Amino acid sequence: MSALHDLAAQSYGGDEAGLISGYLFDASAAEPARAIDSVQAAAWLAEERDRECTEENPAYVWLHFNLSHAHAERWLVRHANLSDTFYETLHEGLPSTRIERDDDSLIAVINDVHFEFSFEPSDISTLWISVGPRLVVTARTKPLRSVDTLRTAVKAGDAPRSSTELLEHLLRAQADVLVKIVRGVTSRIDRIEDELLAGRLDHKRARLGVLRRLLVRLQRLLAPEPAALFRLLQGPPAWMAEPDSQALRGSTEEFSVVLRDMQALQERIKLLQEEIAANVNEDNNRSLFVLTVVTVLALPINILAGLFGMNVGGIPLADHKHGFWIVVAIVASFTAVAAWAAFRKKR
């Protein structure tokens, strides 16, 4: 029964408290990064809550929660002692990226792509973060790429020495994910451009529209982040060391570069869409011209066929032995004149 419970908890995305992963970081310990569960995290928080993070006591905890779990938020309220602003941010439903200072902690909202990202605008979700000197809490509803990258790095032995450095690692991991997205979009645009130059249009406009919507949404959600970080760095908390502030400033610059690349890609996609639209309009105009020429060339014979087919008395050339060929000559002459007039306008 216990094994079935553990399996259900893992498939749901966390243990009985909704904790996906937890790590105790202590640079002075033999094992700088040690995995812990929710029970161990609660015990550590109860023991270390009133102790300050100093050079002699540099330990802090990172807890990553699945908010889809019913017990996750209740566990945080009971054990984590987070600010009210963090819970308000969870429930306010505003996904725009920002990092703000709340008394002695940092509250961050970061947008990231899902782990199974397929270049769709809907594959973007939100990560909520609370950073203090002793505790870092991250929470999400769906698996995110940058958090998984950070967890993989920690498992491989990368142990950030402070909670601020952990936040900086997370921001750099997110920037790396965005760089990969930009490279992937660039590669796709290159292929579409090559096919466009080769004359194979197919459904490239729809594909370009999806990529442009993705970049627009990413830029709209991420654009506030550099400004928010700059405002934060003007008045950081007392526990944030100067090297950590410099590292955060560096991650901000990386984000700015990625955002500029996204803007350039949007302009490139817009130009390709305009080029494709111009080609489509040219094809439509060509088709309309052909249809117009056929209609004009068929006009003389249709008129004469209608006149001679009325079966009334007095039809010209009805008794003439060469009447048929005379009518054919008249139709051919009018058709040649109409063709000359149509192609002359085209030139």
Side-chain angles (χ1 to χ4, degrees), residues 52-347:
E52 295 184 359
C53 185
T54 62
E55 293 183 1
E56 293 77 16
N57 182 30
Y60 70 97
V61 166
W62 172 36
L63 304 177
H64 181 51
F65 282 88
N66 177 16
L67 290 178
S68 299
H69 200 290
H71 298 288
E73 188 170 344
R74 278 181 279 179
W75 190 98
L76 289 171
V77 172
R78 186 178 301 117
H79 300 287
N81 194 28
L82 302 176
S83 68
D84 294 337
T85 304
F86 177 75
Y87 298 107
E88 292 171 1
T89 304
L90 286 180
H91 299 125
E92 68 183 0
L94 295 176
S96 58
T97 298
R98 58 195 184 278
I99 300 180
E100 349 178 287
R101 178 179 174 181
D102 182 57
D103 292 334
D104 203 36
S105 63
L106 303 179
I107 307 298
V109 179
I110 292 178
N111 292 277
D112 195 11
V113 299
H114 296 174
F115 185 75
E116 297 296 336
F117 180 66
S118 57
F119 288 93
E120 294 292 334
S122 59
D123 292 339
I124 304 172
S125 193
T126 303
L127 177 71
W128 292 271
I129 308 173
S130 174
V131 181
R134 307 284 289 169
L135 174 64
V136 178
V137 172
T138 56
R140 53 76 170 169
T141 56
K142 297 180 180 179
L144 300 177
R145 186 70 62 86
S146 60
V147 178
D148 187 77
T149 301
L150 180 58
R151 289 170 58 195
T152 302
V154 171
K155 289 179 181 178
D158 186 2
R161 57 179 179 79
S162 67
S163 57
T164 308
E165 186 174 332
L166 178 69
L167 175 62
E168 184 262 333
H169 277 47
L170 182 60
L171 294 177
R172 289 191 183 275
Q174 187 191 26
D176 291 340
V177 170
L178 294 178
V179 169
K180 291 179 182 178
I181 292 175
V182 170
R183 289 175 179 171
V185 172
T186 302
S187 177
R188 292 185 174 209
I189 294 175
D190 289 341
R191 289 198 297 270
I192 293 174
E193 191 172 27
D194 291 341
E195 293 173 2
L196 173 62
L197 293 175
R200 301 189 299 269
L201 287 178
D202 296 338
H203 302 287
K204 305 302 183 299
R205 291 182 69 187
R207 288 163 53 188
L208 285 172
V210 170
L211 294 176
R212 189 176 179 185
R213 286 194 300 273
L214 169 66
L215 293 175
V216 168
R217 187 176 182 194
L218 278 173
Q219 189 173 29
R220 186 176 67 248
L221 292 175
L222 294 174
E225 184 155 12
L229 268 175
F230 278 124
R231 285 196 302 270
L232 168 66
L233 295 174
Q234 294 301 319
W239 49 265
M240 185 183 294
E242 181 60 27
D244 293 332
S245 298
Q246 294 295 334
L248 280 178
R249 188 171 288 107
S251 64
T252 302
E253 294 173 357
E254 289 187 16
F255 265 105
S256 300
V257 172
V258 175
L259 291 174
R260 285 197 294 269
D261 291 343
M262 286 185 177
Q263 181 66 36
L265 277 178
Q266 289 180 48
E267 293 299 325
R268 186 179 175 191
I269 291 176
K270 182 179 179 181
L271 291 175
L272 283 176
Q273 288 177 320
E274 292 175 354
E275 180 70 19
I276 292 175
N279 289 341
V280 170
N281 288 334
E282 186 177 349
D283 291 341
N284 290 337
N285 292 337
R286 190 180 298 112
S287 300
L288 288 174
F289 173 74
V290 172
L291 181 61
T292 302
V293 168
V294 171
T295 303
V296 170
L297 295 181
L299 185 61
I301 192 172
N302 286 332
I303 293 175
L304 289 179
L307 290 174
F308 283 90
M310 289 188 295
N311 293 324
V312 295
I315 294 178
L317 307 175
D319 298 324
H320 197 286
K321 64 178 180 178
H322 300 297
F324 172 77
W325 296 110
I326 294 174
V327 171
V328 169
I330 294 173
V331 170
S333 299
F334 275 105
T335 301
V337 172
W340 173 81
F343 284 106
R344 184 179 136 211
K345 289 184 179 181
K346 178 65 177 176
R347 290 194 297 268

